């Protein structure tokens, strides 16, 4: 799984960049020159690095047939229990050396903002998120009827990482870690979850009402409750060619909630296991 080596290197860069942002905010340097956003996006818009950070007051809507593009290196801060709701298109493609950061404003937060909420139920231009750091949110990414591409991101320190409902989102090459509840929730449809590191969350992946998701080539281990939870699904789920932190099937099964724990559920099929030996912390 050599692709994980790339995201690990990118992870270090993001952490260093993020630490610098925190330091500047603590000194008041970024807040002095913030760009405040108080109304929704009414036409195709670009948030540029020169005007960063962007401070969102209240819920901000990207309406249907409208695109918001966020440039690499931009910091987007949320004022409180608000969200960025995407009914149109969000293009947030950062870079390994200049990630886009979504976070709560200020040094401290209590309950967190509601995150990036994708609710585009109509065909059109696909939203794309890459090389972003999303932290301190209730739901880092919430998809209801929309299917964005999410890649090379660090999604950490949230209540929930990625929550999919009626979504065929493509989630690849991300680090989804240290979220309080679950890393990824799959509710219905057939999303693709590949080449991610999903570790140290409350639960790794929860799969409910989703008969045929694509789940492969991921690191899924070290989550506090379960690495994989099957819920309200009678059919078997295929989750082969993943790394579960061990080659011992009995050990792996202890962290998978399926038919072995609840006879009304299907089985999570995990064999063959990933043969990769590259799993750095």
């Amino acid at each position: 799984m050599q692709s994980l080596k790339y995201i690990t290197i990118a992870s270090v860069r993001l952490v260093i960049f993020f630490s610098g942002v925190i330091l500047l905010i603590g000194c008041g340097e970024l807040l002095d020159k913030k760009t405040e956003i108080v109304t929704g996006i009414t036409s195709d818009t670009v948030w540029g690095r020169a005007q960063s950070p962007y401070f969102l007051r209240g819920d901000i809507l990207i309406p249907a047939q409208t695109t918001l593009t966020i440039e690499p290196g931009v910091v987007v801060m949320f004022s409180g229990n608000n969200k960025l709701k995407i009914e149109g298109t969000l293009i947030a493609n950062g870079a390994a050396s200049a990630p886009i950061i979504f976070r709560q404003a200020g040094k401290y937060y209590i309950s967190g903002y509601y995150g990036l909420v994708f609710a585009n139920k109509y065909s059109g231009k696909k939203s794309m998120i890459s090389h972003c750091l999303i932290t301190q949110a209730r739901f880092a990414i919430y998809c209801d009827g929309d299917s964005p591409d999410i890649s090379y991101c660090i999604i950490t320190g949230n209540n929930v990482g990625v929550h999919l409902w009626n979504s065929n989102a493509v989630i690849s090459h991300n680090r989804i870690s240290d979220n309080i509840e679950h890393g990824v929730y799959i509710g219905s449809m057939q999303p693709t979850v590949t080449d991610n590191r999903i570790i140290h969350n409350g639960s790794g992946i929860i799969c409910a009402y989703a008969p045929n998701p694509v789940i492969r080539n991921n690191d899924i281990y070290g989550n506090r409750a379960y690495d994989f939870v099957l819920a309200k699904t009678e059919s078997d789920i295929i989750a082969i060619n993943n790394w579960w932190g061990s080659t011992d099937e009995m050990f792996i099964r202890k962290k998978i909630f399926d038919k072995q724990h609840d006879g009304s559920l299907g089985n999570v099929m995990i064999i063959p296991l990933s043969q990769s030996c590259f799993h750095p912390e």
Side-chain angles (χ1 to χ4, degrees), residues 67-100:
T67 299
L68 171 64
T69 301
I70 303 178
E71 293 183 344
V74 166
V75 178
V76 179
M77 300 186 297
F78 294 77
S79 61
N81 298 331
N82 56 327
K83 59 182 174 289
L84 179 61
K85 185 174 183 180
I86 302 101
E87 293 182 354
T89 304
L90 174 64
I91 304 297
N93 291 329
S97 60
I100 297 168

PDB file of all heavy atoms in Angstrom, residues 67-100:
ATOM      1  N   THR A  67     -20.626  27.594  -7.994  1.00  0.00           N
ATOM      2  CA  THR A  67     -19.387  26.938  -7.581  1.00  0.00           C
ATOM      3  C   THR A  67     -18.559  27.856  -6.692  1.00  0.00           C
ATOM      4  O   THR A  67     -18.330  29.024  -7.032  1.00  0.00           O
ATOM      5  CB  THR A  67     -18.548  26.538  -8.804  1.00  0.00           C
ATOM      6  OG1 THR A  67     -19.288  25.612  -9.607  1.00  0.00           O
ATOM      7  CG2 THR A  67     -17.236  25.885  -8.380  1.00  0.00           C
ATOM      8  N   LEU A  68     -18.125  27.332  -5.564  1.00  0.00           N
ATOM      9  CA  LEU A  68     -17.133  28.003  -4.736  1.00  0.00           C
ATOM     10  C   LEU A  68     -15.820  27.258  -4.899  1.00  0.00           C
ATOM     11  O   LEU A  68     -15.741  26.055  -4.663  1.00  0.00           O
ATOM     12  CB  LEU A  68     -17.550  28.002  -3.268  1.00  0.00           C
ATOM     13  CG  LEU A  68     -16.472  28.493  -2.283  1.00  0.00           C
ATOM     14  CD1 LEU A  68     -16.117  29.959  -2.534  1.00  0.00           C
ATOM     15  CD2 LEU A  68     -16.930  28.287  -0.834  1.00  0.00           C
ATOM     16  N   THR A  69     -14.776  27.984  -5.291  1.00  0.00           N
ATOM     17  CA  THR A  69     -13.429  27.422  -5.429  1.00  0.00           C
ATOM     18  C   THR A  69     -12.555  28.002  -4.322  1.00  0.00           C
ATOM     19  O   THR A  69     -12.502  29.225  -4.149  1.00  0.00           O
ATOM     20  CB  THR A  69     -12.832  27.754  -6.800  1.00  0.00           C
ATOM     21  OG1 THR A  69     -13.679  27.228  -7.833  1.00  0.00           O
ATOM     22  CG2 THR A  69     -11.447  27.148  -6.946  1.00  0.00           C
ATOM     23  N   ILE A  70     -11.875  27.138  -3.583  1.00  0.00           N
ATOM     24  CA  ILE A  70     -10.984  27.578  -2.514  1.00  0.00           C
ATOM     25  C   ILE A  70      -9.555  27.236  -2.911  1.00  0.00           C
ATOM     26  O   ILE A  70      -9.244  26.095  -3.247  1.00  0.00           O
ATOM     27  CB  ILE A  70     -11.346  26.903  -1.184  1.00  0.00           C
ATOM     28  CG1 ILE A  70     -12.820  27.197  -0.819  1.00  0.00           C
ATOM     29  CG2 ILE A  70     -10.428  27.386  -0.074  1.00  0.00           C
ATOM     30  CD1 ILE A  70     -13.280  26.537   0.459  1.00  0.00           C
ATOM     31  N   GLU A  71      -8.690  28.228  -2.890  1.00  0.00           N
ATOM     32  CA  GLU A  71      -7.321  28.044  -3.342  1.00  0.00           C
ATOM     33  C   GLU A  71      -6.456  27.357  -2.282  1.00  0.00           C
ATOM     34  O   GLU A  71      -6.762  27.408  -1.074  1.00  0.00           O
ATOM     35  CB  GLU A  71      -6.705  29.403  -3.701  1.00  0.00           C
ATOM     36  CG  GLU A  71      -7.335  30.073  -4.914  1.00  0.00           C
ATOM     37  CD  GLU A  71      -6.645  31.376  -5.278  1.00  0.00           C
ATOM     38  OE1 GLU A  71      -5.891  31.912  -4.425  1.00  0.00           O
ATOM     39  OE2 GLU A  71      -6.855  31.856  -6.410  1.00  0.00           O
ATOM     40  N   PRO A  72      -5.364  26.733  -2.698  1.00  0.00           N
ATOM     41  CA  PRO A  72      -4.436  26.120  -1.739  1.00  0.00           C
ATOM     42  C   PRO A  72      -3.943  27.144  -0.714  1.00  0.00           C
ATOM     43  O   PRO A  72      -3.722  28.312  -1.030  1.00  0.00           O
ATOM     44  CB  PRO A  72      -3.284  25.637  -2.630  1.00  0.00           C
ATOM     45  CG  PRO A  72      -3.912  25.434  -3.976  1.00  0.00           C
ATOM     46  CD  PRO A  72      -4.950  26.508  -4.104  1.00  0.00           C
ATOM     47  N   GLY A  73      -3.776  26.682   0.522  1.00  0.00           N
ATOM     48  CA  GLY A  73      -3.247  27.529   1.575  1.00  0.00           C
ATOM     49  C   GLY A  73      -4.264  28.372   2.309  1.00  0.00           C
ATOM     50  O   GLY A  73      -3.921  29.065   3.273  1.00  0.00           O
ATOM     51  N   VAL A  74      -5.526  28.311   1.904  1.00  0.00           N
ATOM     52  CA  VAL A  74      -6.568  29.108   2.548  1.00  0.00           C
ATOM     53  C   VAL A  74      -6.969  28.463   3.876  1.00  0.00           C
ATOM     54  O   VAL A  74      -7.031  27.241   3.994  1.00  0.00           O
ATOM     55  CB  VAL A  74      -7.793  29.255   1.624  1.00  0.00           C
ATOM     56  CG1 VAL A  74      -9.016  29.766   2.383  1.00  0.00           C
ATOM     57  CG2 VAL A  74      -7.464  30.185   0.469  1.00  0.00           C
ATOM     58  N   VAL A  75      -7.252  29.298   4.869  1.00  0.00           N
ATOM     59  CA  VAL A  75      -7.797  28.847   6.146  1.00  0.00           C
ATOM     60  C   VAL A  75      -9.241  29.323   6.244  1.00  0.00           C
ATOM     61  O   VAL A  75      -9.518  30.509   6.037  1.00  0.00           O
ATOM     62  CB  VAL A  75      -6.982  29.402   7.333  1.00  0.00           C
ATOM     63  CG1 VAL A  75      -7.605  28.965   8.666  1.00  0.00           C
ATOM     64  CG2 VAL A  75      -5.533  28.948   7.249  1.00  0.00           C
ATOM     65  N   VAL A  76     -10.157  28.401   6.514  1.00  0.00           N
ATOM     66  CA  VAL A  76     -11.574  28.730   6.671  1.00  0.00           C
ATOM     67  C   VAL A  76     -11.954  28.449   8.117  1.00  0.00           C
ATOM     68  O   VAL A  76     -11.795  27.326   8.606  1.00  0.00           O
ATOM     69  CB  VAL A  76     -12.463  27.895   5.720  1.00  0.00           C
ATOM     70  CG1 VAL A  76     -13.939  28.244   5.913  1.00  0.00           C
ATOM     71  CG2 VAL A  76     -12.049  28.125   4.269  1.00  0.00           C
ATOM     72  N   MET A  77     -12.459  29.487   8.816  1.00  0.00           N
ATOM     73  CA  MET A  77     -12.798  29.358  10.231  1.00  0.00           C
ATOM     74  C   MET A  77     -14.298  29.579  10.418  1.00  0.00           C
ATOM     75  O   MET A  77     -14.901  30.417   9.753  1.00  0.00           O
ATOM     76  CB  MET A  77     -12.001  30.362  11.053  1.00  0.00           C
ATOM     77  CG  MET A  77     -10.496  30.190  10.926  1.00  0.00           C
ATOM     78  SD  MET A  77      -9.555  31.266  12.043  1.00  0.00           S
ATOM     79  CE  MET A  77     -10.012  32.882  11.432  1.00  0.00           C
ATOM     80  N   PHE A  78     -14.869  28.806  11.330  1.00  0.00           N
ATOM     81  CA  PHE A  78     -16.306  28.869  11.602  1.00  0.00           C
ATOM     82  C   PHE A  78     -16.537  29.541  12.949  1.00  0.00           C
ATOM     83  O   PHE A  78     -15.828  29.267  13.919  1.00  0.00           O
ATOM     84  CB  PHE A  78     -16.896  27.468  11.586  1.00  0.00           C
ATOM     85  CG  PHE A  78     -16.869  26.804  10.233  1.00  0.00           C
ATOM     86  CD1 PHE A  78     -15.691  26.260   9.736  1.00  0.00           C
ATOM     87  CD2 PHE A  78     -18.008  26.729   9.454  1.00  0.00           C
ATOM     88  CE1 PHE A  78     -15.656  25.649   8.488  1.00  0.00           C
ATOM     89  CE2 PHE A  78     -17.987  26.120   8.200  1.00  0.00           C
ATOM     90  CZ  PHE A  78     -16.817  25.581   7.722  1.00  0.00           C
ATOM     91  N   SER A  79     -17.575  30.375  13.017  1.00  0.00           N
ATOM     92  CA  SER A  79     -17.793  31.194  14.205  1.00  0.00           C
ATOM     93  C   SER A  79     -18.393  30.422  15.368  1.00  0.00           C
ATOM     94  O   SER A  79     -18.225  30.803  16.518  1.00  0.00           O
ATOM     95  CB  SER A  79     -18.712  32.381  13.864  1.00  0.00           C
ATOM     96  OG  SER A  79     -19.979  31.916  13.408  1.00  0.00           O
ATOM     97  N   GLY A  80     -19.128  29.353  15.088  1.00  0.00           N
ATOM     98  CA  GLY A  80     -19.782  28.624  16.176  1.00  0.00           C
ATOM     99  C   GLY A  80     -20.464  27.391  15.638  1.00  0.00           C
ATOM    100  O   GLY A  80     -19.858  26.595  14.932  1.00  0.00           O
ATOM    101  N   ASN A  81     -21.747  27.225  15.946  1.00  0.00           N
ATOM    102  CA  ASN A  81     -22.483  26.040  15.509  1.00  0.00           C
ATOM    103  C   ASN A  81     -23.026  26.217  14.094  1.00  0.00           C
ATOM    104  O   ASN A  81     -24.198  25.942  13.828  1.00  0.00           O
ATOM    105  CB  ASN A  81     -23.636  25.751  16.479  1.00  0.00           C
ATOM    106  CG  ASN A  81     -23.119  25.445  17.872  1.00  0.00           C
ATOM    107  OD1 ASN A  81     -22.016  24.934  18.028  1.00  0.00           O
ATOM    108  ND2 ASN A  81     -23.905  25.758  18.877  1.00  0.00           N
ATOM    109  N   ASN A  82     -22.203  26.658  13.201  1.00  0.00           N
ATOM    110  CA  ASN A  82     -22.634  26.926  11.828  1.00  0.00           C
ATOM    111  C   ASN A  82     -21.995  25.936  10.867  1.00  0.00           C
ATOM    112  O   ASN A  82     -21.187  25.097  11.259  1.00  0.00           O
ATOM    113  CB  ASN A  82     -22.315  28.367  11.426  1.00  0.00           C
ATOM    114  CG  ASN A  82     -20.847  28.726  11.569  1.00  0.00           C
ATOM    115  OD1 ASN A  82     -20.156  28.242  12.451  1.00  0.00           O
ATOM    116  ND2 ASN A  82     -20.358  29.577  10.702  1.00  0.00           N
ATOM    117  N   LYS A  83     -22.367  26.056   9.604  1.00  0.00           N
ATOM    118  CA  LYS A  83     -21.891  25.095   8.602  1.00  0.00           C
ATOM    119  C   LYS A  83     -21.721  25.777   7.258  1.00  0.00           C
ATOM    120  O   LYS A  83     -22.266  26.855   7.003  1.00  0.00           O
ATOM    121  CB  LYS A  83     -22.896  23.945   8.473  1.00  0.00           C
ATOM    122  CG  LYS A  83     -24.297  24.358   8.058  1.00  0.00           C
ATOM    123  CD  LYS A  83     -25.213  23.144   8.003  1.00  0.00           C
ATOM    124  CE  LYS A  83     -26.676  23.535   7.743  1.00  0.00           C
ATOM    125  NZ  LYS A  83     -27.274  24.207   8.927  1.00  0.00           N
ATOM    126  N   LEU A  84     -20.971  25.101   6.400  1.00  0.00           N
ATOM    127  CA  LEU A  84     -20.901  25.450   4.984  1.00  0.00           C
ATOM    128  C   LEU A  84     -21.742  24.410   4.256  1.00  0.00           C
ATOM    129  O   LEU A  84     -21.368  23.236   4.191  1.00  0.00           O
ATOM    130  CB  LEU A  84     -19.457  25.425   4.491  1.00  0.00           C
ATOM    131  CG  LEU A  84     -19.243  25.762   3.003  1.00  0.00           C
ATOM    132  CD1 LEU A  84     -19.715  27.173   2.690  1.00  0.00           C
ATOM    133  CD2 LEU A  84     -17.767  25.598   2.623  1.00  0.00           C
ATOM    134  N   LYS A  85     -22.905  24.834   3.739  1.00  0.00           N
ATOM    135  CA  LYS A  85     -23.825  23.909   3.090  1.00  0.00           C
ATOM    136  C   LYS A  85     -23.663  24.003   1.589  1.00  0.00           C
ATOM    137  O   LYS A  85     -23.758  25.094   1.013  1.00  0.00           O
ATOM    138  CB  LYS A  85     -25.272  24.207   3.484  1.00  0.00           C
ATOM    139  CG  LYS A  85     -26.267  23.194   2.942  1.00  0.00           C
ATOM    140  CD  LYS A  85     -27.671  23.434   3.479  1.00  0.00           C
ATOM    141  CE  LYS A  85     -28.639  22.374   2.982  1.00  0.00           C
ATOM    142  NZ  LYS A  85     -30.016  22.584   3.498  1.00  0.00           N
ATOM    143  N   ILE A  86     -23.446  22.871   0.951  1.00  0.00           N
ATOM    144  CA  ILE A  86     -23.146  22.836  -0.476  1.00  0.00           C
ATOM    145  C   ILE A  86     -24.311  22.203  -1.224  1.00  0.00           C
ATOM    146  O   ILE A  86     -24.473  20.983  -1.202  1.00  0.00           O
ATOM    147  CB  ILE A  86     -21.833  22.064  -0.761  1.00  0.00           C
ATOM    148  CG1 ILE A  86     -20.670  22.690  -0.002  1.00  0.00           C
ATOM    149  CG2 ILE A  86     -21.543  22.041  -2.259  1.00  0.00           C
ATOM    150  CD1 ILE A  86     -20.288  21.964   1.262  1.00  0.00           C
ATOM    151  N   GLU A  87     -25.119  23.016  -1.841  1.00  0.00           N
ATOM    152  CA  GLU A  87     -26.156  22.524  -2.747  1.00  0.00           C
ATOM    153  C   GLU A  87     -25.696  22.651  -4.193  1.00  0.00           C
ATOM    154  O   GLU A  87     -26.289  22.063  -5.086  1.00  0.00           O
ATOM    155  CB  GLU A  87     -27.458  23.292  -2.535  1.00  0.00           C
ATOM    156  CG  GLU A  87     -28.093  23.034  -1.168  1.00  0.00           C
ATOM    157  CD  GLU A  87     -29.405  23.760  -0.979  1.00  0.00           C
ATOM    158  OE1 GLU A  87     -29.788  24.572  -1.862  1.00  0.00           O
ATOM    159  OE2 GLU A  87     -30.056  23.525   0.060  1.00  0.00           O
ATOM    160  N   GLY A  88     -24.646  23.419  -4.401  1.00  0.00           N
ATOM    161  CA  GLY A  88     -24.016  23.538  -5.707  1.00  0.00           C
ATOM    162  C   GLY A  88     -22.736  22.720  -5.735  1.00  0.00           C
ATOM    163  O   GLY A  88     -22.772  21.504  -5.536  1.00  0.00           O
ATOM    164  N   THR A  89     -21.590  23.378  -5.947  1.00  0.00           N
ATOM    165  CA  THR A  89     -20.317  22.668  -6.092  1.00  0.00           C
ATOM    166  C   THR A  89     -19.242  23.344  -5.260  1.00  0.00           C
ATOM    167  O   THR A  89     -19.116  24.575  -5.269  1.00  0.00           O
ATOM    168  CB  THR A  89     -19.876  22.649  -7.565  1.00  0.00           C
ATOM    169  OG1 THR A  89     -20.904  22.074  -8.364  1.00  0.00           O
ATOM    170  CG2 THR A  89     -18.599  21.850  -7.738  1.00  0.00           C
ATOM    171  N   LEU A  90     -18.469  22.548  -4.549  1.00  0.00           N
ATOM    172  CA  LEU A  90     -17.295  23.027  -3.827  1.00  0.00           C
ATOM    173  C   LEU A  90     -16.058  22.396  -4.438  1.00  0.00           C
ATOM    174  O   LEU A  90     -15.952  21.175  -4.531  1.00  0.00           O
ATOM    175  CB  LEU A  90     -17.384  22.653  -2.344  1.00  0.00           C
ATOM    176  CG  LEU A  90     -16.142  22.970  -1.508  1.00  0.00           C
ATOM    177  CD1 LEU A  90     -15.897  24.480  -1.446  1.00  0.00           C
ATOM    178  CD2 LEU A  90     -16.276  22.386  -0.103  1.00  0.00           C
ATOM    179  N   ILE A  91     -15.127  23.226  -4.854  1.00  0.00           N
ATOM    180  CA  ILE A  91     -13.823  22.773  -5.336  1.00  0.00           C
ATOM    181  C   ILE A  91     -12.787  23.282  -4.345  1.00  0.00           C
ATOM    182  O   ILE A  91     -12.475  24.477  -4.314  1.00  0.00           O
ATOM    183  CB  ILE A  91     -13.510  23.293  -6.757  1.00  0.00           C
ATOM    184  CG1 ILE A  91     -14.610  22.898  -7.745  1.00  0.00           C
ATOM    185  CG2 ILE A  91     -12.153  22.778  -7.215  1.00  0.00           C
ATOM    186  CD1 ILE A  91     -14.775  21.414  -7.951  1.00  0.00           C
ATOM    187  N   ALA A  92     -12.309  22.394  -3.490  1.00  0.00           N
ATOM    188  CA  ALA A  92     -11.330  22.762  -2.469  1.00  0.00           C
ATOM    189  C   ALA A  92     -10.118  21.852  -2.627  1.00  0.00           C
ATOM    190  O   ALA A  92      -9.964  20.858  -1.920  1.00  0.00           O
ATOM    191  CB  ALA A  92     -11.934  22.630  -1.079  1.00  0.00           C
ATOM    192  N   ASN A  93      -9.278  22.165  -3.581  1.00  0.00           N
ATOM    193  CA  ASN A  93      -8.089  21.370  -3.878  1.00  0.00           C
ATOM    194  C   ASN A  93      -6.857  22.098  -3.358  1.00  0.00           C
ATOM    195  O   ASN A  93      -6.363  23.046  -3.972  1.00  0.00           O
ATOM    196  CB  ASN A  93      -7.971  21.121  -5.383  1.00  0.00           C
ATOM    197  CG  ASN A  93      -9.050  20.192  -5.902  1.00  0.00           C
ATOM    198  OD1 ASN A  93      -9.508  19.306  -5.183  1.00  0.00           O
ATOM    199  ND2 ASN A  93      -9.472  20.382  -7.138  1.00  0.00           N
ATOM    200  N   GLY A  94      -6.382  21.663  -2.202  1.00  0.00           N
ATOM    201  CA  GLY A  94      -5.162  22.225  -1.670  1.00  0.00           C
ATOM    202  C   GLY A  94      -3.954  21.554  -2.300  1.00  0.00           C
ATOM    203  O   GLY A  94      -4.042  20.932  -3.363  1.00  0.00           O
ATOM    204  N   ALA A  95      -2.821  21.673  -1.636  1.00  0.00           N
ATOM    205  CA  ALA A  95      -1.587  21.038  -2.097  1.00  0.00           C
ATOM    206  C   ALA A  95      -0.861  20.505  -0.877  1.00  0.00           C
ATOM    207  O   ALA A  95      -1.094  20.955   0.249  1.00  0.00           O
ATOM    208  CB  ALA A  95      -0.714  22.047  -2.847  1.00  0.00           C
ATOM    209  N   ALA A  96       0.038  19.542  -1.085  1.00  0.00           N
ATOM    210  CA  ALA A  96       0.778  18.973   0.034  1.00  0.00           C
ATOM    211  C   ALA A  96       1.544  20.052   0.790  1.00  0.00           C
ATOM    212  O   ALA A  96       1.663  20.006   2.018  1.00  0.00           O
ATOM    213  CB  ALA A  96       1.724  17.889  -0.465  1.00  0.00           C
ATOM    214  N   SER A  97       2.050  21.034   0.062  1.00  0.00           N
ATOM    215  CA  SER A  97       2.806  22.119   0.683  1.00  0.00           C
ATOM    216  C   SER A  97       1.927  23.293   1.092  1.00  0.00           C
ATOM    217  O   SER A  97       2.392  24.202   1.777  1.00  0.00           O
ATOM    218  CB  SER A  97       3.888  22.620  -0.277  1.00  0.00           C
ATOM    219  OG  SER A  97       3.293  23.095  -1.476  1.00  0.00           O
ATOM    220  N   ALA A  98       0.660  23.280   0.696  1.00  0.00           N
ATOM    221  CA  ALA A  98      -0.251  24.381   1.013  1.00  0.00           C
ATOM    222  C   ALA A  98      -1.665  23.833   1.176  1.00  0.00           C
ATOM    223  O   ALA A  98      -2.536  24.056   0.333  1.00  0.00           O
ATOM    224  CB  ALA A  98      -0.198  25.448  -0.081  1.00  0.00           C
ATOM    225  N   PRO A  99      -1.913  23.104   2.263  1.00  0.00           N
ATOM    226  CA  PRO A  99      -3.243  22.525   2.463  1.00  0.00           C
ATOM    227  C   PRO A  99      -4.285  23.592   2.757  1.00  0.00           C
ATOM    228  O   PRO A  99      -3.968  24.691   3.218  1.00  0.00           O
ATOM    229  CB  PRO A  99      -3.039  21.616   3.677  1.00  0.00           C
ATOM    230  CG  PRO A  99      -1.917  22.256   4.427  1.00  0.00           C
ATOM    231  CD  PRO A  99      -0.994  22.799   3.382  1.00  0.00           C
ATOM    232  N   ILE A 100      -5.525  23.255   2.497  1.00  0.00           N
ATOM    233  CA  ILE A 100      -6.655  24.076   2.915  1.00  0.00           C
ATOM    234  C   ILE A 100      -7.076  23.589   4.294  1.00  0.00           C
ATOM    235  O   ILE A 100      -7.186  22.379   4.521  1.00  0.00           O
ATOM    236  CB  ILE A 100      -7.820  23.961   1.914  1.00  0.00           C
ATOM    237  CG1 ILE A 100      -7.400  24.499   0.541  1.00  0.00           C
ATOM    238  CG2 ILE A 100      -9.063  24.693   2.428  1.00  0.00           C
ATOM    239  CD1 ILE A 100      -8.379  24.149  -0.569  1.00  0.00           C
TER     240      ILE A 100
END
